[in-house]
Amino acid sequence: MSRIRSALALAALGLFFAVAGHAQTNPAVSTIVAFSLSNPVGNLVQGADGALYGVASPATSITGGVIYRTTLDGSDVRTLYQLKPEDALSPAGGLVLASDGLLYGTTKFGQAGQIDGAGSIFRIAASGTGFQIIHRFAPITTSNQDGSPVNTNGAYPEAELVEGADGYLYGTTRAGGPNGTGTIFRISRDGTDFKSLYSFAAVTSAAGSGLTVTADGAAPTGPFAAGTDNFLYGTTSLGGTNGRGTVYRIAFDGTGFQVLHHFSAATIETTTGLPENADGATPLGGLVEGGDGFFYGLTAQGGPDGNGVIFAIPPDGSTFTVLHSFAGADGSRPVAELMVASSGKLYGVTSTGGINSEGATTALGTIFSIDRAGTGFSRLYSFDGKHGSLPSSRLLETASGVFVGIATGTGNCSYGTVFRYSLAGDTVTGNTRCGRKNNDSGGGSAGFAVVLLFAGLGLLRRRTT
């Protein structure tokens, strides 16, 4: 899943022009924030002030992670809060801006030195004040046959929370629960009313089989899509009758759990080692509601080439349609959610794949779009490292035709970026100082750009294996 290496983080920005294959009208990519010695993780959220808020995961035992804020042009980057070792370690999912104006998030692990720590839920004001741990998951007591930790109410929350129409926050844990296969939970915004709504079923596959087979799914890693029908819609990256993951729904009160789709059995391609099937495997991101009677999602593996697929499914699961199968040059291994743009198109990223200027397939990731009907797929941009690589977050449309996201690797300062993609071709210039007073590779005001990060254990919010 995730691990990183090092100590001191920062933010900055660099700028360059990219001509993307199959692009529209001279689109351009620029860097809003370039991180140094720490990695941005999870999805971005836009605050009431228009700024972007996110989390970064560090690498030593001095701090547990950072909550940061950046303006859309990167001219003002601030550390809102630096998690202390006694707080918790490694924010993995992004933040959610709740109806009370506060930001809520999760950490994957407990306090430093706590070997049985299973993660936490926190809140903080957009000003950076009032940081509070509102829930700590129960200590890990043992593990299941696959080595996944077991406890009473869930372990390792890796996705951002979702606020329901009832004001509760809903989320999942990748592991834990009585079977070690993960849980679904809800919590009040003040943390006083935590309830485990559902625990995924026990593993039925043989130990060492290489598959985690369950009746209903295992290891949910993506955030929920809250439907207008008072159901939560989600995915599991493992489990199901074939061990390749599931799509499911559950009512806000924890009733009515239903598996909508079991991803099919796969064969392992001998050259690539990737699982291949017809409908995809290992959905690591969540779903998005299309507003047209369908939910849309991605799988990180599977499909005819093993590189993942884009799919559509109605709320009752009566049909399942593959809209696109990735082949490598057009992208590979998407790990985040799709988003519905103001144009009605679906936009997303793949963590690897792409193509360089010589036409060779690369492994740094792509930005793509597709019509909800499954037509008009377009690889808009192939990352080359200058503005990051391994994009791992849902895109966020900050203005018509302007999208921002997170890349967890490379960039000007080598540890990932917050990047900006503009269909119109305009760019921004921000801070590219990488923690130094003078750095000719970029401009803009340093301001509060130095984000001190030591500790952490997460690189990608979600990573395929």
Side-chain angles (χ1 to χ4, degrees):
M1 284 311 219
S2 43
R3 293 289 179 274
I4 61 172
R5 329 193 288 256
S6 216
L8 166 56
L10 128 357
L13 168 268
L15 146 92
F16 102 106
F17 299 91
V19 177
H22 303 119
Q24 298 183 16
T25 329
N26 300 318
V29 173
S30 50
T31 306
I32 294 173
V33 176
F35 288 84
S36 176
L37 297 174
S38 69
N39 298 90
V41 292
N43 289 332
L44 293 165
V45 64
Q46 190 166 21
D49 58 357
L52 303 174
Y53 292 80
V55 295
S57 193
T60 73
S61 58
I62 300 174
T63 188
V66 157
I67 303 165
Y68 65 88
R69 170 192 183 274
T70 177
T71 51
L72 293 176
D73 61 0
S75 60
D76 183 4
V77 183
R78 305 182 183 186
T79 301
L80 295 183
Y81 187 78
Q82 187 169 294
L83 276 70
K84 303 178 183 66
E86 60 267 28
D87 290 331
L89 301 175
S90 294
L95 302 170
V96 60
L97 179 64
S99 57
D100 59 5
L102 298 179
L103 297 162
Y104 291 81
T106 61
T107 67
K108 190 166 156 186
F109 303 113
Q111 297 162 296
Q114 183 185 16
I115 60 173
D116 60 355
S120 73
I121 303 171
F122 65 84
R123 69 179 182 180
I124 188 171
S127 62
T129 59
F131 177 88
Q132 180 185 5
I133 300 287
I134 63 172
H135 180 76
R136 294 188 188 278
F137 288 91
I140 295 167
T141 55
T142 185
S143 60
N144 67 13
Q145 67 182 51
D146 289 343
S148 182
V150 171
N151 67 357
T152 58
N153 63 2
Y156 307 161
E158 293 193 3
E160 58 272 25
L161 303 168
V162 171
E163 185 175 17
D166 55 4
Y168 280 95
L169 301 172
Y170 292 85
T172 62
T173 64
R174 175 175 60 83
N179 299 309
T181 48
T183 67
I184 300 168
F185 65 85
R186 79 172 190 191
I187 188 170
S188 57
R189 294 193 301 266
D190 63 2
T192 58
D193 187 10
F194 177 92
K195 183 178 181 180
S196 183
L197 298 178
Y198 189 81
S199 295
F200 288 93
V203 178
T204 57
S205 49
S209 67
L211 284 177
T212 297
V213 176
T214 68
D216 54 2
T221 58
F224 282 121
T228 56
D229 56 0
N230 292 323
F231 274 83
L232 298 163
Y233 291 79
T235 62
T236 66
S237 61
L238 303 174
T241 54
N242 300 303
R244 298 299 178 180
T246 66
V247 180
Y248 67 90
R249 70 176 182 177
I250 187 171
F252 284 2
D253 63 1
T255 62
F257 179 91
Q258 180 185 2
V259 176
L260 302 178
H261 183 74
H262 292 267
F263 288 93
S264 64
T267 58
I268 304 301
E269 207 282 327
T270 55
T271 303
T272 64
L274 295 174
E276 295 180 349
N277 62 5
D279 58 345
T282 321
L284 293 176
L287 303 171
V288 62
E289 188 170 14
D292 57 358
F294 288 89
F295 288 87
Y296 295 88
L298 297 153
T299 68
Q301 296 181 326
D305 296 296
N307 294 307
V309 306
I310 305 170
F311 65 85
I313 188 170
D316 62 0
S318 57
T319 62
F320 182 93
T321 305
V322 173
L323 303 179
H324 181 77
S325 297
F326 290 99
D330 59 347
S332 176
R333 295 197 171 194
V335 300
E337 299 75 50
L338 294 161
M339 62 87 63
V340 182
S342 58
S343 65
K345 283 180 174 285
L346 298 168
Y347 281 77
V349 297
T350 65
S351 66
T352 64
I355 194 167
N356 62 20
S357 57
E358 284 76 40
T361 300
T362 60
L364 300 181
T366 69
I367 301 171
F368 66 85
S369 68
I370 189 172
D371 297 321
R372 281 174 289 177
T375 56
F377 178 90
S378 179
R379 174 181 45 79
L380 301 172
Y381 177 72
S382 293
F383 285 85
D384 61 4
K386 293 179 182 178
H387 297 293
S389 60
L390 308 179
S392 63
S393 77
R394 177 177 60 235
L395 294 175
L396 178 66
E397 190 174 22
T398 59
S400 180
V402 177
F403 305 89
V404 296
I406 284 173
T408 55
T410 61
N412 187 66
C413 303
S414 301
Y415 279 77
T417 66
V418 175
F419 64 85
R420 179 182 188 271
Y421 176 81
S422 169
L423 289 172
D426 56 300
T427 61
V428 298
T429 301
N431 192 319
T432 54
R433 298 181 186 276
C434 305
R436 289 164 278 181
K437 290 184 178 179
N438 297 298
N439 185 348
D440 293 337
S441 62
S445 171
F448 293 92
V450 175
V451 181
L452 211 52
L453 295 175
F454 305 86
L457 297 99
L459 170 55
L460 286 175
R461 177 185 67 176
R462 309 176 279 270
R463 174 180 288 175
T464 58
T465 55

